[in-house]
Amino acid sequence: DIQLTQSPSSLSASVGDRVTITCRASHSINVFLNWYQQKPGEAPALLIYSSSSLSSGVPPRFSGSGSGTGFTLTISSLQPEDFATYYCQQTFSTPTFGPGTRVDI
Amino acid sequence: QVHLVQSGADVKKPGASVKVSCKASGHTSPAFGISWVRQAPGQGLEWMGWIGTYSDKINFAQKFQGRLTMTIDTSTTTAYMELRSLRSDDTAVYYCARGRAVAERYTMDVWGQGTTVSVSS
């Protein structure tokens, strides 16, 4: 299986901050990398697919980039509703998720 | 818009089986298939498997081979996930989720609300 690591595992930020989360794959996965947001007690929600494509209804302050083994999720100006846990997922082979990055105040 | 509604919480004893349902409603598109993902308490997400809408294609995570059965009843637009030989570490919230597109079957853009399965003696 392809392993995904995320950094940091958690971070504290303030409203208006620019936040960047990194996801690294153990093998090249081209651009087969998605990002999900999960709030406590809720199901995950798709934010970014194919490394950089914004899912329908997701605000443009979210962006993704990368290819091969290194990827980033950026929130340009953190909003109160963005405090959540973020997971990357690879779909190049049998899907796996990263361990998650918790973003809180 | 598609909605996925899952069955209610369940409590099982070790060694038993559990079957979770996931009903699609709204504007359903038949070609995307359904993934099952679980999340143990306080833990991350774990992809379990995917089934094509017409049950013609199935893919499992290796660790669930032999214990996991996924089916789809197209007449009722309901997907089912059955996990057998339950252990305490199968205690988790189980989610169904729809594949985003035919070529992006494992990219999940619509999720059920989750079903809590507790395994305890």
Side-chain angles (χ1 to χ4, degrees):
Chain A
D1 286 358
I2 293 176
Q3 309 301 318
L4 297 177
T5 58
Q6 289 182 234
S7 60
S9 56
S10 66
L11 65 91
S12 295
S14 301
V15 172
D17 283 353
R18 181 181 182 88
V19 170
T20 299
I21 299 169
T22 297
C23 177
R24 296 206 176 275
S26 59
H27 300 82
S28 177
I29 56 172
N30 198 333
V31 293
F32 293 94
L33 192 286
N34 305 319
W35 291 96
Y36 297 85
Q37 176 193 65
Q38 186 179 32
K39 298 178 182 179
E42 297 184 7
L46 179 66
L47 289 177
I48 303 282
Y49 62 94
S50 300
S51 178
S52 61
S53 296
L54 210 61
S55 184
S56 176
V58 175
R61 63 180 179 272
F62 290 93
S63 63
S65 65
S67 66
T69 61
F71 302 86
T72 59
L73 171 69
T74 299
I75 309 171
S76 61
S77 179
L78 199 66
Q79 298 302 300
E81 60 269 29
D82 301 337
F83 291 96
T85 300
Y86 295 84
Y87 294 94
C88 56
Q89 177 212 17
Q90 65 81 19
T91 60
F92 181 80
S93 63
T94 300
T96 51
F97 288 94
T101 295
R102 179 176 172 175
V103 176
D104 54 27
I105 299 174
Chain B
Q1 185 166 347
V2 175
H3 295 279
L4 300 177
V5 179
Q6 299 183 221
S7 49
D10 210 342
V11 179
K12 296 293 184 182
K13 294 190 181 301
S17 299
V18 68
K19 192 169 187 177
V20 178
S21 68
C22 169
K23 180 170 176 57
S25 62
H27 178 67
T28 57
S29 301
F32 302 159
I34 292 288
S35 280
W36 290 90
V37 174
R38 74 178 186 179
Q39 186 170 37
Q43 302 301 307
L45 303 171
E46 181 176 30
W47 184 84
M48 300 175 67
W50 174 89
I51 180 169
T53 300
Y54 301 105
S55 304
D56 54 337
K57 298 178 182 177
I58 290 178
N59 189 16
F60 293 95
Q62 185 70 26
K63 70 177 289 185
F64 297 106
Q65 293 269 3
R67 282 210 302 147
L68 177 62
T69 299
M70 297 176 291
T71 56
I72 289 185
D73 183 342
T74 54
S75 67
T76 61
T77 62
T78 302
Y80 298 91
M81 183 281 297
E82 181 179 33
L83 190 62
R84 299 178 293 280
S85 302
L86 290 169
R87 306 183 289 256
S88 58
D89 62 359
D90 291 317
T91 294
V93 177
Y94 290 76
Y95 295 101
C96 63
R98 187 192 76 162
R100 181 182 175 276
V102 174
E104 299 178 66
R105 61 186 67 175
Y106 304 133
T107 297
M108 295 162 279
D109 67 344
V110 179
W111 292 67
Q113 83 277 18
T115 296
T116 299
V117 175
S118 300
V119 183
S120 174
S121 55

